[in-house]
Amino acid sequence: MSVLITNIKELLQIREEHVTIVKGSDMKILPTLKNAYLLIEHDTIVDYGSMEDCKAIEADETIDASGKIVLPTWCDSHTHIVYAGDRTQEFVDRINGLSYEDIANRGGGILNSAEQLQNTSEDELYHQAARRLKEMIKLGTGAVEIKSGYGLTVDAELKMLRVIKRLKKDFAIKVKPTLLAAHALPKEFKANKKSFIDLVVNEMIPAVAKEQLAEYIDVFCEKGYFDLEDTERVLQAAESYHLIPKIHVNQFNAFGGVALGVKYKALSVDHLEEMNPEDISALKSSNTMPVALPSCSYFLSIPYTPGRAIIDAGLPLALATDYNPGSTPSGNMNFVVSTACIKMKLTPEEAINAATINGAYAMGISNLYGSICRGKKANLIITKAIPNYYHLPYAFGDDLIDTVMINGQIY
């Protein structure tokens, strides 16, 4: 089936096939075409151009996008949407003065989610995650990375990853699975972290690799969680199973996690609320994507990733939601884009680049997703009639999406 979108007010993020990442000053440039058409065949973008050149084109279905903007769907490269229940009480506790660390130290946080998940069936876990994923698609997300990490036992981590596998099979959007084996230290290992790392290295990683349940490996490299030595042990073990690192670093402290990620050729290093000059230098000599999670900073009232400094240093930047029950209970990439502009001082062009093509790069899929390009997947947002694309981050509380297309089909 072919679909022709006509009279597009402005078509955003049009790229040549070889462009799979945008860095530094180039992030200020968002290639667009006004008064455009876009032709889709099956699930693929096959052509686009000026309406002046559209007269001879025929299609099975035509969509009139008069007054509307068309852009690639958001690529959310960091989420934890497979979880059980919620952590609303911790939300109230923080309002009443407890910190994220305080809550974790008394058995809340990740350990709270792990206990709930371990007591939830795989089917129920799937249904909860599927509801979240449906809402994310409605909000314009067309590709998503999903982590494990709330299991903390071999069986529970495998259960999470099997749920992610089911989501990947049942939903048309691109899903990339990550094993976040070392997310927190279970209570029973509180006095013996080495034994838990042994479990991760000797049992979790081999079991996940045997069932081919993950493509990436993640570690919460942070003070009070897993230090550089712990992280390196996990990354070394994962390397032999060809799991590519995408790691949590610098959320609360900067102590060398970025350089370690670069050493192991991490596809991305995520959070980066705390950065120092050594981190910038390490990233400059790498192909690793820095990923900012501004809605996490908003929800926890912690510093925002210094995105302006990262981009001004000539580096790329991606944006993602960090959707999870404890620090970002939202999969709204529209809010992420707005918050990056408002709080991190990214331009609209930089934020859209970070949430589309660079987000796709941070999942290893920017050869097929994240931009308007002949031969790429037809995952598209058609906005409502709006004055210009600046309106997307400007009207941060409005629902500006009219239609979402996944693989050429209206969702």
Side-chain angles (χ1 to χ4, degrees):
M1 180 177 176
S2 58
V3 178
L4 178 64
I5 306 174
T6 62
N7 301 312
I8 301 168
K9 182 173 185 176
E10 193 163 9
L11 183 62
L12 307 188
Q13 192 59 284
I14 53 175
R15 299 279 180 181
E16 296 301 318
E17 184 179 356
H18 67 278
V19 179
T20 56
I21 188 172
V22 187
K23 303 180 180 181
S25 59
D26 288 342
M27 289 190 67
K28 287 185 169 67
I29 302 168
L30 183 66
T32 75
L33 180 65
K34 294 183 178 179
N35 191 28
Y37 75 88
L38 180 71
L39 180 62
I40 300 162
E41 288 185 3
H42 304 295
D43 63 350
T44 303
I45 297 167
V46 294
D47 201 10
Y48 62 85
S50 170
M51 280 301 296
E52 294 176 359
D53 303 320
C54 182
K55 295 170 185 175
I57 297 175
E58 296 183 357
D60 298 317
E61 180 182 353
T62 300
I63 298 172
D64 185 353
S66 295
K68 301 173 182 180
I69 288 170
V70 174
L71 67 155
T73 49
W74 309 123
C75 296
D76 189 349
S77 66
H78 184 128
T79 83
H80 307 251
I81 66 168
V82 177
Y83 62 85
D86 61 46
R87 287 178 10 213
T88 51
Q89 183 56 52
E90 295 177 11
F91 169 67
V92 176
D93 289 342
R94 278 199 304 277
I95 292 170
N96 288 323
L98 292 180
S99 70
Y100 184 90
E101 293 88 346
D102 293 334
I103 292 166
N105 289 337
R106 68 178 195 176
I110 295 165
L111 296 184
N112 180 357
S113 286
E115 184 176 359
Q116 292 187 66
L117 185 137
Q118 289 164 13
N119 293 319
T120 302
S121 72
E122 183 175 316
D123 283 343
E124 175 56 27
L125 200 57
Y126 169 83
H127 291 307
Q128 291 187 32
R131 285 196 296 270
R132 296 178 193 119
L133 190 55
K134 288 174 185 176
E135 287 302 314
M136 292 173 71
I137 297 169
K138 289 179 185 177
L139 290 166
T141 293
V144 61
E145 181 256 19
I146 309 175
K147 303 177 189 292
S148 69
Y150 291 127
L152 304 185
T153 68
V154 175
D155 288 345
E157 287 291 304
L158 290 172
K159 177 168 67 173
M160 289 187 74
L161 288 164
R162 289 178 187 129
V163 167
I164 297 169
K165 185 175 182 178
R166 288 173 65 181
L167 295 171
K168 184 176 182 178
K169 176 178 176 288
D170 292 348
F171 286 80
I173 79 166
K174 190 70 172 178
V175 174
K176 301 291 273 188
T178 297
L179 170 61
L180 176 50
H183 197 194
L185 199 61
K187 293 175 185 177
E188 60 269 29
F189 290 94
K190 191 171 183 181
N192 193 354
K193 184 167 62 169
K194 181 182 180 300
S195 291
F196 181 66
I197 298 297
D198 289 342
L199 179 72
V200 169
V201 166
N202 297 324
E203 296 188 43
M204 282 191 194
I205 291 174
V208 168
K210 183 178 180 181
E211 292 192 38
Q212 298 182 318
L213 291 173
E215 297 179 45
Y216 302 120
I217 186 76
D218 196 349
V219 181
F220 189 15
C221 182
E222 183 54 68
K223 289 183 179 179
Y225 292 85
F226 299 97
D227 61 24
L228 295 178
E229 184 180 348
D230 303 326
T231 303
E232 186 156 29
R233 272 203 70 199
V234 173
L235 297 185
Q236 282 176 341
E239 196 171 40
S240 62
Y241 291 96
H242 308 292
L243 295 174
I244 299 167
K246 281 175 56 68
I247 61 174
H248 286 61
V249 292
N250 293 38
Q251 183 172 4
F252 302 110
N253 301 277
F255 56 92
V258 171
L260 184 63
V262 168
K263 177 182 175 181
Y264 283 89
K265 296 180 172 57
L267 182 58
S268 71
V269 286
D270 301 24
H271 272 292
L272 308 177
E273 289 88 347
E274 300 293 335
M275 291 282 279
N276 58 40
E278 291 78 16
D279 297 323
I280 297 289
S281 296
L283 287 166
K284 280 185 175 180
S285 62
S286 78
N287 294 315
T288 299
M289 175 66 72
V291 179
L293 311 169
S295 48
C296 175
S297 297
Y298 171 83
F299 194 73
L300 293 182
S301 297
I302 62 175
Y304 287 83
T305 303
R308 181 76 275 134
I310 290 170
I311 294 171
D312 289 348
L315 293 168
L317 184 71
L319 292 169
T321 62
D322 193 22
Y323 192 173
N324 75 81
S327 62
T328 319
S330 169
N332 191 341
M333 280 291 288
N334 306 285
F335 177 76
V336 167
V337 169
S338 293
T339 306
C341 293
I342 296 163
K343 294 296 186 180
M344 294 168 56
K345 303 305 179 186
L346 270 62
T347 66
E349 292 84 357
E350 289 169 333
I352 292 169
N353 276 323
T356 54
I357 192 166
N358 282 0
Y361 180 94
M363 286 185 270
I365 59 171
S366 57
N367 61 323
L368 286 175
Y369 297 87
S371 63
I372 303 297
C373 175
R374 295 173 183 89
K376 284 196 174 185
K377 296 296 184 183
N379 284 17
L380 306 169
I381 294 170
I382 304 175
T383 71
K384 296 175 181 175
I386 56 176
N388 49 58
Y389 65 79
Y390 293 162
H391 218 69
L392 294 170
Y394 166 77
F396 68 92
D398 292 352
D399 175 11
L400 300 178
I401 296 176
D402 179 69
T403 303
V404 175
M405 299 187 76
I406 303 294
N407 294 336
Q409 301 292 315
I410 293 175
Y411 181 77

